[in-house]
Amino acid sequence: MAYLNRSIRGALLPLQYFRGRSVIPYVSHCQARSLHLSPVSRTDGVFRGLTDTRLPMPWIEAWKMIHDGENPSPKDETSKERDMSPKKMSDSYHRVILPLGQDPWLSDTYINSSGHIRLGTVFMDLDALSGIIVYKHTGPGVTTVTAAVDRITIAHPLTEICDLEYSGRVTYATGRSSVEITCNVARAPREGQPSRPEDILLTCTFTMVALDPITRKPTAVPKLICSSPEEEAFFKAGEAKSLAKKKSLQMSLMEQEPDDLEAALIHKIWLKQVEYHDPSKPLRQASNVVAMAKTQLSTAAIMQPQYRNRHQTMIFGGYHIKQTFELAFCCAASFAHARPTFISADPCTFRNPVPVGSVLYLTATVAYTDPPLIDDDGSWPAQKDPENPMTRVHVRVDSKVRDIEHGYAKPTGQFNYTFSVPKDVKVLPHTYQEFMMFVDARRRVKAGDLQKKEQNANSPQEKSSILETSSVTE
């Protein structure tokens, strides 16, 4: 017992003990006393096949370097010589099998209490996959960060637990600082057999940005060259997305006020609120109509080192995505009093990094429901099947970070998720801020519907007709 107590006391030594000392002799001493040591450090929760083997040290060593004024980033990021020759898409291709069907212990991480795949964990894995792929393209000598995630939709839902195939490659890079990576999650094919389109669970794209490891400013990456019509199609799609993002920023509610149709809809909703409270009118707010302010759920969490990225001082972007997704799921469930089913995640941008040791604040709000409270013409929309109602619930998650002393606060991103629930429920905005959230969410839902129609178009002419006759602000 005395031996055990001495071991525990040694394990609980304060971090100040290591200032100015080498940690290695102490670790070696612990090894000699047969204490269990963890395997090579990796981001907690990420599949072992996606472990970044370049994570060079345990947190205690990184902590010591930080407090000694040294840079704990991997040494390969300080290299001055870089190969900037153009790369092929195949150069960055990476594939990993997640053996869910073979390894029951993986269910602890990847299967939820209802027996379904935990999509938040899959999203986290995909960000880790993107990190591996981008370094295959950029090579050493740069620091890369996740800048944005494009729209994610479920193509073919899984009907059973089986092995999954993660795969991806760089599909758009012009030689500037940003790189687009397209990732797939699919049912793993049998050995020797090709993947089938109907086996694909989801496809998504990540935008990574290369930074100079010393100045932390954007730096150039190798250009991407296409060697087949399929690759050219991927490249053109990436180019179109880049232009669409710029146009979307110009049309943002932060840049322009709501258009005439949106302003008229806001007025109709306000008139409905007035009628609800007018004693001379018989109409009262229905029990299935919930004030937007009452739908909010919030969390606050300290960002611990186990979720850091390979640069040691910042939190892994995939963990950030997972946290926002799971809070959005809880928010939709709390609002509808029913189990939500994931439909899509809208494009999101990481505005600021989340440092290790900071406090991450997340606030989820139901911003829009479809069918909505009121149609554009002022009528009350009905469910298609009143006996089996189904409502799309759009949840917005606002994220900000503060230092532990709460001396500053920075926004880290806005994340938007859409779920379906088997209920007839509606959200009602009241304040101007809530109306802007409502309009923004409405635009996102309409943009998603437009994209789905475009993908399902049978010909280029039909696709062109859809784009010409549709507007996300109408």
Side-chain angles (χ1 to χ4, degrees):
M1 183 62 71
Y3 171 78
L4 179 61
N5 288 338
R6 286 197 302 272
S7 299
I8 293 174
R9 285 198 298 271
L12 296 179
L13 282 172
L15 290 180
Q16 284 77 6
Y17 173 85
F18 298 104
R19 282 184 185 267
R21 311 184 188 198
S22 173
V23 180
I24 300 303
Y26 179 74
V27 173
S28 300
H29 176 62
C30 289
Q31 281 181 308
R33 297 168 69 178
S34 301
L35 285 183
H36 173 73
L37 290 179
S38 298
V40 177
S41 179
R42 61 175 180 256
T43 303
D44 191 28
V46 173
F47 175 54
R48 58 182 177 270
L50 295 169
T51 298
D52 192 337
T53 56
R54 296 162 301 178
L55 194 63
M57 66 186 73
W59 167 247
I60 187 62
E61 286 284 358
W63 180 91
K64 178 179 177 295
M65 292 184 68
I66 293 169
H67 284 267
D68 287 347
E70 300 176 32
N71 184 0
S73 294
K75 291 182 180 180
D76 67 347
E77 291 185 4
T78 60
S79 172
K80 295 294 183 181
E81 297 181 5
R82 294 181 57 205
D83 179 10
M84 296 297 291
S85 58
K87 300 287 180 66
K88 299 178 181 178
M89 289 189 185
S90 58
D91 292 335
S92 61
Y93 179 79
H94 195 79
R95 173 180 177 269
V96 173
I97 298 297
L98 178 68
L100 277 179
Q102 301 176 49
D103 186 355
W105 285 106
L106 282 174
S107 64
D108 288 12
T109 302
Y110 289 89
I111 308 299
N112 60 27
S113 59
S114 63
H116 296 89
I117 292 288
R118 290 182 63 184
L119 287 173
T121 304
V122 172
F123 296 160
M124 186 163 68
D125 277 355
L126 290 177
D127 191 40
L129 175 66
S130 297
I132 293 173
I133 292 170
V134 72
Y135 275 104
K136 283 189 169 186
H137 183 82
T138 64
V142 296
T143 296
T144 58
V145 295
T146 305
V149 184
D150 204 358
R151 183 175 175 83
I152 303 175
T153 56
I154 299 296
H156 301 94
L158 288 178
T159 56
E160 61 180 349
I161 302 303
C162 60
D163 292 354
L164 295 180
E165 178 189 69
Y166 293 154
S167 63
R169 57 183 174 172
V170 172
T171 51
Y172 182 67
T174 61
R176 303 184 69 179
S177 61
S178 64
V179 174
E180 183 182 274
I181 297 162
T182 299
C183 298
N184 289 324
V185 180
R187 183 193 300 269
R190 293 182 179 179
E191 190 172 351
Q193 294 184 355
S195 297
R196 301 175 302 173
E198 59 267 28
D199 288 335
I200 295 177
L201 171 64
L202 62 87
T203 298
C204 64
T205 58
F206 287 79
T207 300
M208 313 290 282
V209 173
L211 306 176
D212 183 281
I214 298 175
T215 65
R216 295 290 171 175
K217 292 184 178 180
T219 188
V221 300
K223 292 182 179 180
L224 189 66
I225 53 177
C226 303
S227 55
S228 70
E230 180 192 14
E231 291 184 354
E232 289 179 1
F234 272 113
F235 191 90
K236 288 180 180 179
E239 190 174 34
K241 289 176 188 175
S242 179
L243 294 174
K245 287 177 185 176
K246 294 176 182 178
K247 184 177 179 181
S248 177
L249 289 174
Q250 295 172 354
M251 297 295 293
S252 164
L253 288 169
M254 298 299 293
E255 300 294 332
Q256 296 185 17
E257 67 273 12
D259 63 25
D260 292 344
L261 288 174
E262 291 167 340
L265 179 61
I266 290 171
H267 186 69
K268 291 183 179 75
I269 296 174
W270 175 76
L271 287 176
K272 189 67 67 176
Q273 292 180 30
V274 171
E275 189 175 0
Y276 285 155
H277 296 88
D278 188 342
S280 64
K281 298 288 181 68
L283 183 65
R284 292 294 176 264
Q285 183 171 319
S287 59
N288 68 332
V289 176
V290 182
M292 188 180 292
K294 292 184 178 181
T295 69
Q296 285 191 350
L297 282 182
S298 299
T299 63
I302 298 175
M303 296 294 97
Q304 301 292 0
Q306 72 198 83
Y307 300 112
R308 71 192 186 279
N309 62 19
R310 72 183 300 263
H311 312 302
Q312 302 295 340
T313 59
M314 298 296 169
I315 293 299
F316 172 51
Y319 174 76
H320 195 172
I321 296 172
K322 177 186 176 184
Q323 296 303 107
T324 62
F325 172 77
E326 294 188 349
L327 180 62
F329 180 92
C330 293
C331 181
S334 173
F335 166 70
H337 291 207
R339 183 177 186 83
T341 298
F342 173 76
I343 295 178
S344 64
D346 278 359
C348 63
T349 301
F350 293 89
R351 296 178 60 184
N352 285 293
V354 179
V356 171
S358 63
V359 182
L360 181 67
Y361 289 85
L362 303 177
T363 301
T365 309
V366 175
Y368 184 76
T369 51
D370 181 39
L373 179 69
I374 296 175
D375 268 335
D376 294 349
D377 59 3
S379 63
W380 184 276
Q383 288 278 343
K384 293 181 179 179
D385 183 0
E387 297 297 323
N388 300 286
M390 190 64 67
T391 302
R392 287 193 295 178
V393 178
H394 185 92
V395 181
R396 164 175 167 163
V397 182
D398 292 292
S399 171
K400 68 179 180 181
V401 65
R402 291 180 180 269
D403 60 334
I404 198 67
E405 296 82 12
H406 284 59
Y408 72 84
K410 292 182 179 180
T412 57
Q414 176 186 322
F415 303 81
N416 299 270
Y417 302 95
T418 302
F419 303 88
S420 65
V421 295
K423 289 285 190 74
D424 182 13
V425 284
K426 304 178 189 299
V427 70
L428 176 63
H430 283 82
T431 67
Y432 189 78
Q433 169 68 14
E434 291 175 354
F435 275 114
M436 293 302 100
M437 292 172 66
F438 178 89
V439 170
D440 177 66
R442 179 177 177 270
R443 288 183 179 184
R444 291 176 181 275
V445 170
K446 285 183 172 290
D449 291 344
L450 177 60
Q451 181 176 328
K452 187 175 180 179
K453 288 180 181 179
E454 188 180 347
Q455 290 173 344
N456 294 335
N458 295 321
S459 65
Q461 293 78 13
E462 184 180 349
K463 183 181 294 187
S464 177
S465 175
I466 291 172
L467 293 174
E468 289 174 0
T469 57
S470 303
S471 171
V472 297
T473 61
E474 290 181 358

